[in-house]
Amino acid sequence: MFSFFELLPFVQKQVSMSTGFFYEPCSIRLRGRQVRMDQMKAPVYEALQARRLKGESSFHVPGHKFGHGLGEAGCEHYRRIMELDYTEIDGLDDLHHPVGIIEEAQNLASACFGSEESMFLVGGSTVGNLAMLMTVCSRGDLILVQRNAHKSVIHGLMLAGARVVFLSPVIHEQSGIAGCVAWRTLAAALAQYPEAKGVFLTNPNYYGMGRDLGPHAELVHRYGIPLLVDEAHGAHLGFHPDLPPSALSRGADAVVQSTHKMLTAMTMGAMLHVQGTRIDRRRLKERLAMLQSSSPSYPLMASLDLARRRIATEGERLLAEVLEHLRTFQADYSERASGNPLQFVPPSPPSPAFDYMDPFKLIVYDATGRLSGFRLLEELADEGVVAEMADDRHTVLACSLATSRQDLARLNQAMLRMEAGPRGDYCPTGPAMLQGYAPPEEIGVPILMGLDESEERERIAVPLYESVGRICAQSVIPYPPGIPLLFPGEQIRLSVIEYIDKLMKTGARFQGALQEGADCSIIVMKVK
């Protein structure tokens, strides 16, 4: 039986009085019937506001009782948000069995992002990646995975006990950045491992480099298996003609997006979008219920609701404004900073490494090589410009529909001031360093990623260069971006150790590697 909101007749044109923005209501197919959805609604947020205005006495969790228990410390900042910090009381639905406002909000998200079904995530894209892998893979199953994947993908493989064949991305020759998996690599891997239960790709990467996944999806589907995509950095894709298409629109079966990264949700707010019949949705929801908190944050879900409303009703206009600001900024900087050693990796025509570069990611580097990306990040911060992440050569700045003209003007001035300032110690970075990012072979050998196998054997720490040829026991992860250089179960190569050593000397932070001053140890399996 349809709920009231599914049957509510909406007018053809809706108007937001605050913005004057006109839009068409979206439609979505629910239970076999087409239903129109009013994207101006934000059912979770509106329900929380309505409850707040009732002024009820709370005899339910959380214990802060709408912020009254905060005391003086933190009261100013947290009181307002805690007024909306409810739990699964009557009328506020249940994320793990949604039949009311959360169901409505997720259906609105489905209509907005073009999925058959969308699910709110309160544990970031991490929990979505875990759930996708644990849905598609059972113990011992084989899956093909893009090597430059987030650490959560590795953890998902370990929890599933899957066997993984890593596929190397193409290295962009001009920047040395690891891009996307080539179609021919994927085709060869599927022919070599036709028993694979699925393919997992990351698109776009942290730098905004991505590929049109249509041909990849078509290829994967010939084998009757699903294409899973970590699109954490692409929630905004497809919402403006000058932006690349989303993975869903190009045929992916399940897609995770970090709504908090490139859109406007609170940190940890993400969504999982599904379409087609290749994903067992019952199993997927069971895995999400196991992995997500039984007490999900209502303020976080409300922020997902509001982020969806914002991109659905005003997204194209807002994105167009920021795109124009970015074009003006880069043209102005190029004109005023001719010869400046601080340069942007320019938008590039399609290359073997990628098909597009997201204009909302700015990749800055010192063309003289005197400032590493890590040092550049620090100097920008000293100028009041806080970047997203750095590698040995580049600093990445993430823009969004909330990036202002004033923000870009500040970045412009900061970079112009920095060119006249003192330079850092010479740092011999360049594309050749990044060749250690991916193994020499395009298609790896199967590796069993189960937790039991990595925990049963005794593990020891050995000095960095003494680890060459040993079997890695713990992922080594530069963070950010959180993409492992070494995985448990793989043999350690000299080129990777040399790369880790160079990264450490340029200021990289690691998870998994044991660091003491300038020394570094790697956790390996003890030889029997």
Side-chain angles (χ1 to χ4, degrees), residues 115 207 357 365 441 458:
S115 70
Y207 300 82
M357 291 180 66
Y365 69 101
E441 68 275 7
E458 187 177 350

Side-chain angles (χ1 to χ4, degrees), residues 37-304:
M37 306 293 293
D38 181 3
Q39 292 291 337
M40 276 304 298
K41 297 189 69 177
V44 176
Y45 174 73
E46 290 163 4
L48 296 180
Q49 280 282 40
R51 292 302 290 255
R52 181 184 69 84
L53 294 174
K54 286 185 177 181
E56 299 165 315
S57 293
S58 169
F59 287 91
H60 57 77
V61 298
H64 59 71
K65 307 301 181 187
F66 310 130
H68 296 301
L70 280 175
E72 293 298 323
C75 183
E76 177 184 352
H77 292 287
Y78 284 98
R79 172 69 63 82
R80 293 298 302 277
I81 195 66
M82 286 183 171
E83 289 177 351
L84 301 181
D85 191 17
Y86 280 84
T87 189
E88 295 94 337
I89 58 176
D90 184 50
L92 292 188
D93 210 358
D94 179 352
L95 178 62
H96 301 296
H97 185 67
V99 294
I101 59 169
I102 296 175
E103 181 188 33
E104 181 179 1
Q106 291 185 150
N107 287 336
L108 284 162
S110 178
C112 173
F113 291 96
S115 70
E116 290 180 5
E117 191 168 2
S118 294
M119 303 158 203
F120 284 180
L121 306 177
V122 293
S125 285
T126 290
V127 76
N129 286 336
L130 297 178
M132 286 196 299
L133 288 162
M134 293 175 70
T135 297
V136 170
C137 296
S138 297
R139 186 171 180 79
D141 285 342
L142 186 139
I143 186 169
L144 307 178
V145 175
Q146 182 171 331
R147 182 177 175 89
N148 54 329
H150 189 260
K151 63 178 182 174
S152 60
V153 177
I154 309 308
H155 297 157
L157 294 167
M158 295 176 74
L159 289 169
R163 292 183 300 134
V164 60
V165 171
F166 288 114
L167 308 180
S168 292
V170 181
I171 303 296
H172 184 228
E173 290 185 1
Q174 286 70 37
S175 66
I177 294 171
C180 308
V181 173
W183 185 92
R184 61 175 178 78
T185 301
L186 179 58
L190 285 167
Q192 187 173 346
Y193 298 101
E195 72 274 24
K197 296 294 184 180
V199 172
F200 191 105
L201 300 178
T202 301
N203 197 76
N205 66 10
Y206 217 123
Y207 300 82
M209 298 170 173
R211 197 175 289 287
D212 177 356
L213 292 181
H216 290 64
E218 181 182 354
L219 172 64
V220 172
H221 292 162
R222 289 181 205 165
Y223 289 80
I225 57 176
L227 174 61
L228 315 176
V229 179
D230 179 351
E231 197 175 46
H233 290 266
H236 61 308
L237 299 184
F239 283 96
H240 187 277
D242 291 344
L243 292 178
S246 68
L248 272 174
S249 71
R250 301 301 291 145
D253 299 275
V255 177
V256 168
Q257 295 177 340
S258 288
T259 321
H260 71 94
K261 281 187 169 72
M262 302 302 291
L263 297 183
T264 55
M266 289 172 62
T267 297
M268 293 177 66
M271 296 188 195
L272 173 54
H273 307 293
V274 186
Q275 62 186 355
T277 59
R278 298 179 187 88
I279 299 293
D280 185 338
R281 298 188 202 179
R282 178 194 58 79
R283 179 171 168 138
L284 178 61
K285 291 172 185 177
E286 287 177 351
R287 297 300 181 266
L288 282 174
M290 294 176 188
L291 295 165
Q292 298 212 91
S293 171
S294 60
S295 301
S297 165
Y298 272 80
L300 201 159
M301 288 189 286
S303 79
L304 285 169

Side-chain angles (χ1 to χ4, degrees), residues 447-508:
I447 300 173
L448 182 61
M449 299 294 285
L451 286 171
D452 293 342
E453 288 71 20
S454 64
E455 292 177 348
E456 282 178 0
R457 289 181 59 180
E458 187 177 350
R459 301 184 289 179
I460 59 173
V462 300
L464 191 63
Y465 280 91
E466 292 181 21
S467 70
V468 176
R470 306 287 289 268
I471 301 300
C472 181
Q474 184 175 340
S475 296
V476 178
I477 309 167
Y479 199 86
I483 297 171
L485 295 174
L486 287 171
F487 303 110
E490 72 171 331
Q491 189 174 42
I492 300 172
R493 295 174 291 112
L494 176 61
S495 61
V496 176
I497 293 303
E498 291 175 337
Y499 182 45
I500 291 171
D501 189 20
K502 291 174 181 177
L503 283 178
M504 288 185 63
K505 290 174 181 176
T506 56

